[in-house]
Amino acid sequence: MAQNIINELGALAIGSRMRRLYDALSKDAARVYEDHELQFEIKYFTLFYLISKRKQIGIMDIAEELSLTHPAIIHLAKELEKKGYIESASAPGDSRKRMLQLSAKGKKSLPAFKKVWEKINTLNEQLFVQQHQLLQTLEAIEKTLEERSYYKRFQNDTAR
């Protein structure tokens, strides 16, 4: 790996390193989806996957399950609706509640997505699980931050 300031900064630039890795993975994943004639970006994956598993699910339930904000889910959902993969419907008994479900195009494309996801999963296991236990480390960090946020830790440490 070429030397650069982000590498020199080490732990101080952990967010930048994670962003750089995400950008590299996103770029190549976009190419994979394109090669399989799927108009899809990596940022849609968890939302699309969740909807495919739950058949029909409300925005608030999605936000809670994915630990994302309501506006973030709405933004991603609008983009996926524009691409034709999902659609919204009113909830039975409460027309104000918006439910998301796969569209006809989403259902038709699902087998192709599943094929791609199987290959991506195998590759990710080779890169991140078997070699470096990255997923377990990330899970441990997330749990630690759930117990006490990064901000609270910073505030407590700088108060000394």
Side-chain angles (χ1 to χ4, degrees):
M1 180 176 279
Q3 189 62 21
N4 62 47
I5 193 68
I6 293 173
N7 293 355
E8 286 177 32
L9 289 169
L12 185 58
I14 191 73
S16 296
R17 291 192 78 170
M18 291 176 78
R19 180 61 189 210
R20 184 171 63 183
L21 179 60
Y22 175 81
D23 288 346
L25 292 172
S26 296
K27 179 182 165 193
D28 282 349
R31 291 178 64 193
V32 167
Y33 287 122
E34 188 177 305
D35 287 351
H36 288 83
E37 298 178 5
L38 298 166
Q39 298 174 339
F40 201 76
E41 294 176 43
I42 196 170
K43 66 182 179 178
Y44 305 135
F45 169 71
T46 53
L47 176 59
F48 185 77
Y49 185 87
L50 179 61
I51 294 168
S52 75
K53 287 295 181 191
R54 300 292 188 275
K55 306 300 181 213
Q56 193 176 62
I57 186 169
I59 299 285
M60 295 302 288
D61 296 326
I62 294 169
E64 186 177 317
E65 189 157 349
L66 297 181
S67 297
L68 294 172
T69 64
H70 185 265
I73 298 300
I74 290 173
H75 178 75
L76 288 173
K78 283 182 182 178
E79 289 183 17
L80 272 177
E81 281 185 286
K82 281 182 188 174
K83 293 191 175 294
Y85 289 117
I86 65 170
E87 59 191 14
S88 63
S90 296
D94 186 355
S95 61
R96 297 168 303 171
K97 187 174 180 183
R98 202 167 141 211
M99 303 296 285
L100 299 179
Q101 60 195 23
L102 293 184
S103 65
K105 178 182 176 179
K107 290 174 186 173
K108 183 180 177 189
S109 303
L110 192 56
F113 278 112
K114 286 181 177 181
K115 246 185 203 177
V116 169
W117 296 338
E118 284 178 32
K119 289 180 181 180
I120 288 173
N121 187 56
T122 300
L123 179 58
N124 286 352
E125 284 178 347
Q126 292 168 356
L127 287 172
F128 303 117
V129 178
Q130 294 171 358
Q131 289 185 15
H132 303 288
Q133 305 301 316
L134 178 62
L135 295 179
Q136 292 87 342
T137 302
L138 287 174
E139 190 173 321
I141 292 168
E142 289 168 342
K143 185 178 180 190
T144 299
L145 292 175
E146 280 178 12
E147 292 167 4
R148 195 168 101 216
S149 74
Y150 188 88
Y151 179 76
K152 286 181 181 175
R153 290 168 189 274
F154 182 86
Q155 290 301 100
N156 289 344
D157 289 346
T158 57
R160 294 180 197 164

